[in-house]
Amino acid sequence: MISALLFDLDGTLIDTAPDFALVLNGMRRRRQLSDIPFEDIHATVSEGARALVELGFKLNEGDEGFEALRQELLDDYLQNLSQQSRLYTGMEDVLSWAESRDIPWGIVTNKPARYAEPLLRDLKLAERCASLVCPDHVKQRKPHPEPILLACAQMNANAATAVYVGDHRRDIEAGKNAGSTTVACTYGYIHSSDPAPSWGADYTIETASELVPILETL
């Protein structure tokens, strides 16, 4: 019996890469620079704003101008959180499946609350989500188990019978560290240098639609 269904946010539950691409390439256009291919941005999103600035402007953290560009990116992103971001295809069916069985679902993300909360409100998911755990809410980020354990506590769920779905090695490590069943999704923001099958997840899926048949066996 599944006590809770937990998701990473970016690259797992919601495809946010299009809005990051919109923001980053918008910054480049203001500087008369050409667009960066979407595939390159897609593979970098999960590494955060610093990595996107490095990709977009070939600067490293600590270089002159880096911090100003990072703040500009974050400010622009806050104004464009949900222009093109959407649930992944098939994910609405997964959420409806859980809700129809009274299985609470939540989100454990490294995305700060100031971005995650309005994004969920914009996509009409905030009231459906039983728990949202961001770095603001814990002392230790993923891959530490604290965020997953907190989410389970908020939902009165047992971590040992919870399922955590993610698109990064740290997601699977966090789930395993919490004692939960783990599912790696290959449709997310994955670097070719660290393929999902190498993470040691209990299950691996290529589309969100493959999740329900797995959940029905647990």
Side-chain angles (χ1 to χ4, degrees), residues 17-215:
D19 285 328
F20 280 108
L22 181 153
V23 168
L24 185 61
N25 281 327
M27 291 172 63
R28 286 179 58 84
R29 290 171 193 168
R30 290 198 291 271
R31 293 165 173 83
Q32 287 73 54
L33 298 172
S34 60
D35 284 3
I36 289 178
F38 177 75
E39 294 75 15
D40 294 345
I41 297 174
H42 184 277
T44 307
V45 165
S46 67
E47 303 302 323
R50 290 177 175 83
L52 288 170
V53 171
E54 291 173 5
L55 172 69
F57 300 98
K58 308 306 179 189
L59 294 174
N60 296 314
E61 189 171 7
D63 290 347
E64 183 178 354
F66 181 94
E67 184 56 31
L69 287 168
R70 187 186 74 88
Q71 193 58 54
E72 181 181 340
L73 184 145
L74 291 174
D75 290 343
D76 285 3
Y77 179 61
L78 190 59
Q79 300 303 316
N80 294 278
L81 284 166
S82 56
Q83 295 297 313
Q84 301 176 38
S85 294
R86 298 292 183 269
L87 283 173
Y88 277 98
T89 300
M91 192 55 77
E92 175 57 42
D93 291 338
V94 176
L95 300 183
S96 296
W97 177 90
E99 291 166 350
S100 70
R101 287 157 178 78
D102 294 322
I103 298 172
W105 65 267
I107 296 167
V108 176
T109 177
N110 279 349
K111 194 187 196 80
R114 71 186 297 245
Y115 308 104
E117 290 173 354
L119 174 61
L120 294 182
R121 287 197 298 269
D122 287 352
L123 297 187
K124 305 295 188 291
L125 295 171
E127 292 184 359
R128 300 171 64 184
C129 180
S131 174
L132 170 64
V133 175
C134 300
D136 320 54
H137 307 138
V138 292
K139 294 180 179 178
Q140 301 284 342
R141 294 186 178 207
K142 299 178 296 183
H144 195 280
E146 182 188 357
I148 290 178
L149 296 176
L150 175 59
C152 288
Q154 291 177 347
M155 295 188 291
N156 295 314
N158 184 345
T161 52
V163 178
Y164 187 49
V165 188
D167 71 319
H168 196 281
R169 179 181 292 275
R170 64 174 168 259
D171 297 324
I172 304 308
E173 291 176 353
K176 286 183 170 296
N177 290 337
S180 303
T181 298
T182 56
V183 182
C185 52
T186 64
Y187 58 78
Y189 308 145
I190 299 174
H191 280 287
S192 60
S193 61
D194 191 23
S198 70
W199 303 343
D202 295 302
Y203 302 92
T204 300
I205 58 174
E206 295 182 0
T207 67
S209 299
E210 296 173 30
L211 188 53
V212 166
I214 292 172
L215 297 174

